[in-house]
Amino acid sequence: MENLIALLVAAPLLGAAVLLCGGRRLDAVGHWIGTALSSASFVIGVVLFTDLLGKNAEHRTLLQHLWTWVPVEGFQADVAFRLDQLSMTFVLLITGVGSLIHLYSIGYMEHDERRRRFFGYLNLFLAAMLILVLADNYLLLYVGWEGVGLASYLLIGFWQHKPSAATAAKKAFLVNRVGDMGLSIAIMLMFTTFGTFAFGPVLSHVGDASEGKLTGIALMLLLAACGKSAQVPLQSWLGDAMEGPTPVSALIHAATMVTAGVYLIVRSGAIFNAAPDAQLVVTVVGAVTLLFGAIVGCAKDDIKKALAGSTMSQIGYMVLAAGLGPIGYVFAIMHLVTHGFFKAGLFLGAGSVMHGMNDEVDMRKYGGLRKYMPITFVTFGLGYLAIIGFPGLSGFFSKDKIIEAAFAKGGAEGWILGGAALLGAAITAYYMTRVMLMTFFGEKRWQPDENGNEPHPHESPKTMTIPMIVLAFGSVFAGGIFGIGDRFLHWLEPITGHEEGNSPVSALTVTLATMVVLVIGVGIAWAQYGRKPVPAVAPRGSLLTRAARRDLLQDDFNHVVLVRGGEHLTRSLVYVDHTLVDGVVNGTAASMGGLSGRLRKLQNGYARSYAVSMFGGAAILVAATLLMRAV
């Protein structure tokens, strides 16, 4: 079975090569080729998953060595894949949800003349993401990491004729480069510390390194995770990335790329376990981001940007859980998987709404769409109930476990983290209810555009609704299936480990508290958007509301601190260069020029002048000799 691992990557990689190099002759069938090869990778994943289920837990790690990449004395890098319970979970999520999004894109991108290229980019992204999660060493993981960055740049900026899309792609690429520097530095530190960057030797010899070195490595890995997973302080790119086609938002910003940072932290769990200071920073980043993203999501009228804030917040939950160590690793991945179902479904539902509303994204111009788009309404509604943690649905099982794990951290830290997670649950219930009410309830609010064209909302074609239905089933049942008999915990525990912690509150108390804050959040949203007409123009709002509309001033902060700071630094360096460096160089040149000009006058061509010079020199030598003898 080990020989099949490489085929997981080879199928979408072949699709990318064929679609991007095949030319226009494949325009008519390119979308089917891309979808078929993505689905083939999923089928191979299911076969491997079935094989792993038939093995004992200690034998569920499969290794496939393809070739030696860098055969240098003292430095060896292999192209080798590792398939275990953790990477298998990601393989099924990436290929399963990815294939559904490919199918959805057939209908969504039907009228785009560059559809073949779009599917080539989707296949390229899947291949890079699979390399990332299957790599057996950090250097090969870095290849997949950068491949994902390239593919996301191409997909976010796919409609590059729009300046906003081109700018968003560039912004995502540059912000992620900051995080990527963290990963490259971490790999260098690993090699100087352990002499290798293979998972096995590094993670099994953590005890041989000092806590200071491990803290440095862990913080650099966290920096990388912040970039890919849009966590504070590298979160500013995610909202702008909604300029890409909606299937891109579902694939990259819900189910795959933004979860790469969580995978990196959990895969490197042994390093973080030995670096408690770094673990504390991880939990702080997760807690701050889950609140940050939730607050931003409350103020957005653009349906995709509201969901982008939600994504940032939900990934914050995962990072918080990952920072809790063995108490939370399993629940971070569990929420990652359930989130992949309901958030991908929500994004596809948003795309379906846009498809029926002439690409309108402003929720203030929706209203009453449940009557016109019943399938979209039901599937989106199930995703909504799952994300707010409605009892019995996926989010209820995974998010509640994270809140319980936060309290189980114990002490003041546990109360603070658990309180932040509960507050995030209340805000989530509020902003997602707001999205639901503004989009599907109330009276219709759409108006003709400047050309007199009025939207005629209608249900999307089957190629779009079928993936939405499948994801809705996952939103409803995945969490319950994982939770029965702690199946998911027992599946991942051999890789991640697990500890129960020492929670000051019972699981029942946490569940009741979560239900209370859920009802409060839904109630406030209903009072504001369900009982009252939605105004066509957003009111000015409070200072916090205005700040949230501007993403809590994250771009303003970056502009003042980084852009203007960089400008001042550049001007200072230019001033130093002109005054000091150029002054020394130009001054030396001028001095030599002046001296040479004066010395040149001594070479006048007159013999009598040379005779006087010789006589003077001889006189000086005689005088010096006599003086020395006298002394």
Side-chain angles (χ1 to χ4, degrees):
M1 283 293 178
E2 292 86 349
N3 296 330
L4 292 178
I5 300 176
L7 294 180
L8 289 168
V9 179
L13 194 60
L14 174 63
V18 170
L19 295 177
L20 296 177
C21 301
R24 294 189 177 277
R25 64 178 68 91
L26 296 178
D27 282 356
V29 295
H31 48 288
W32 292 112
I33 294 174
T35 304
L37 288 172
S38 171
S39 302
S41 186
F42 174 67
V43 171
I44 296 170
V46 171
V47 172
L48 289 168
F49 174 64
T50 304
D51 181 65
L52 289 187
L53 286 178
K55 299 178 182 292
N56 295 327
E58 60 272 16
H59 296 125
R60 285 177 175 168
T61 298
L62 305 179
L63 300 175
Q64 183 180 15
H65 180 276
L66 297 180
W67 68 83
T68 299
W69 178 16
V70 185
V72 178
E73 184 177 357
F75 181 94
Q76 180 170 322
D78 296 327
V79 175
F81 294 135
R82 170 186 293 263
L83 186 70
D84 55 22
Q85 293 93 316
L86 180 59
S87 54
M88 186 76 257
T89 302
F90 276 84
V91 165
L92 293 177
L93 178 67
I94 293 165
T95 58
V97 176
S99 297
L100 290 173
I101 293 172
H102 274 70
L103 179 61
Y104 177 94
S105 300
I106 292 175
Y108 190 87
M109 302 294 289
E110 181 179 5
H111 301 295
D112 195 298
E113 60 183 17
R114 299 171 66 237
R115 181 166 61 166
R116 170 185 53 83
R117 184 179 295 273
F118 179 78
F119 276 83
Y121 291 160
L122 287 182
N123 273 198
L124 179 63
F125 178 86
L126 286 191
M129 193 69 198
L130 288 169
I131 291 174
L132 191 159
V133 299
L134 288 170
D136 187 42
N137 60 74
Y138 283 96
L139 193 61
L140 185 60
L141 181 150
Y142 189 78
V143 173
W145 194 271
E146 291 301 307
V148 166
L150 170 63
S152 67
Y153 169 78
L154 295 171
L155 287 167
I156 294 170
F158 183 74
W159 288 327
Q160 68 266 30
H161 59 276
K162 297 166 53 180
S164 57
T167 301
K170 181 173 65 175
K171 184 177 182 180
F173 191 82
L174 292 176
V175 173
N176 272 271
R177 296 292 70 72
V178 178
D180 295 352
M181 285 297 298
L183 182 56
S184 62
I185 293 172
I187 294 173
M188 296 176 198
L189 290 174
M190 286 178 195
F191 187 78
T192 57
T193 303
F194 303 104
T196 181
F197 29 69
F199 288 151
V202 169
L203 301 179
S204 62
H205 291 85
V206 166
D208 298 337
S210 66
E211 184 176 322
K213 287 185 177 180
L214 294 174
T215 299
I217 294 172
L219 290 177
M220 290 298 100
L221 291 174
L222 173 61
L223 179 62
C226 287
K228 275 289 183 288
S229 296
Q231 300 293 285
V232 171
L234 300 179
Q235 79 286 10
S236 62
W237 64 271
L238 187 61
D240 295 294
M242 297 302 107
E243 291 293 337
T246 301
V248 174
S249 303
L251 179 64
I252 294 180
H253 310 126
T256 53
M257 173 178 158
V258 291
T259 63
V262 181
Y263 170 80
L264 182 65
I265 295 173
V266 174
R267 174 62 79 184
S268 308
I271 297 174
F272 284 90
N273 293 341
D277 291 339
Q279 271 191 331
L280 176 61
V281 177
V282 174
T283 58
V284 170
V285 167
V288 170
T289 306
L290 76 87
L291 294 175
F292 189 105
I295 292 171
V296 169
C298 291
K300 295 296 186 182
D301 292 332
D302 183 317
I303 187 171
K304 288 177 65 178
K305 290 193 175 182
L307 293 178
S310 172
T311 297
M312 191 188 306
S313 178
Q314 297 304 308
I315 302 296
Y317 272 103
M318 301 172 207
V319 172
L320 168 61
L324 297 173
I327 299 174
Y329 286 144
V330 171
F331 304 130
I333 302 301
M334 182 176 177
H335 192 55
L336 185 152
V337 176
T338 59
H339 177 265
F341 285 112
F342 58 69
K343 184 53 66 63
L346 289 169
F347 268 116
L348 296 188
S352 180
V353 170
M354 293 166 58
H355 184 268
M357 291 292 292
N358 295 345
D359 291 327
E360 178 62 65
V361 296
D362 188 349
M363 293 185 292
R364 293 185 181 276
K365 299 178 181 178
Y366 292 163
L369 291 180
R370 69 185 188 279
K371 295 179 292 185
Y372 303 92
M373 310 177 72
I375 297 176
T376 300
F377 167 65
V378 172
T379 55
F380 193 98
L382 291 173
Y384 152 73
L385 293 175
I387 194 173
I388 67 173
F390 190 84
L393 274 70
S394 293
F396 170 79
F397 293 97
S398 58
K399 190 189 295 183
D400 273 24
K401 287 294 185 182
I402 293 177
I403 298 173
E404 290 175 25
F407 280 110
K409 186 67 174 177
E413 183 182 343
W415 282 104
I416 294 172
L417 296 175
L422 271 177
L423 178 58
I427 303 174
T428 300
Y430 170 79
Y431 70 73
M432 285 305 306
T433 302
R434 174 179 179 268
V435 170
M436 196 73 189
L437 293 174
M438 292 179 70
T439 303
F440 295 101
F441 291 87
E443 299 299 324
K444 72 171 189 176
R445 298 184 299 276
W446 58 86
Q447 299 293 331
D449 58 22
E450 60 274 9
N451 299 319
N453 298 319
E454 182 175 334
H456 296 283
H458 55 278
E459 192 56 87
S460 299
K462 290 184 178 180
T463 53
M464 295 174 63
T465 56
I466 289 174
M468 291 158 55
I469 293 170
V470 174
L471 291 171
F473 272 97
S475 301
V476 174
F477 298 111
I481 294 173
F482 292 160
I484 295 175
D486 290 329
R487 290 180 178 178
F488 198 72
L489 190 154
H490 296 318
W491 166 257
L492 281 183
E493 189 174 6
I495 303 299
T496 63
H498 181 66
E499 296 176 5
E500 289 297 331
N502 185 23
S503 178
V505 294
S506 67
L508 178 60
T509 302
V510 171
T511 299
L512 292 176
T514 305
M515 291 300 99
V516 170
V517 300
L518 185 154
V519 171
I520 292 174
V522 171
I524 295 174
W526 171 256
Q528 291 183 341
Y529 297 95
R531 297 180 60 187
K532 303 176 183 178
V534 176
V537 179
R540 189 166 185 266
S542 65
L543 180 62
L544 178 60
T545 300
R546 297 197 301 273
R549 287 176 186 148
R550 298 178 61 180
D551 299 331
L552 290 181
L553 309 180
Q554 55 184 325
D555 283 330
D556 301 79
F557 176 83
N558 290 342
H559 184 75
V560 171
V561 175
L562 301 177
V563 177
R564 288 188 179 175
E567 289 176 351
H568 290 311
L569 177 61
T570 302
R571 289 169 184 167
S572 300
L573 292 175
V574 170
Y575 176 79
V576 170
D577 181 59
H578 286 171
T579 58
L580 182 61
V581 178
D582 288 355
V584 171
V585 174
N586 295 336
T588 302
S591 299
M592 295 302 296
L595 178 61
S596 64
R598 290 177 175 82
L599 291 176
R600 186 179 58 198
K601 294 179 180 179
L602 299 177
Q603 304 295 324
N604 53 22
Y606 295 111
R608 59 181 179 272
S609 296
Y610 300 152
V612 171
S613 298
M614 295 169 64
F615 177 77
I620 291 172
L621 289 173
V622 170
T625 301
L626 293 175
L627 180 62
M628 292 179 64
R629 286 184 177 182
V631 174

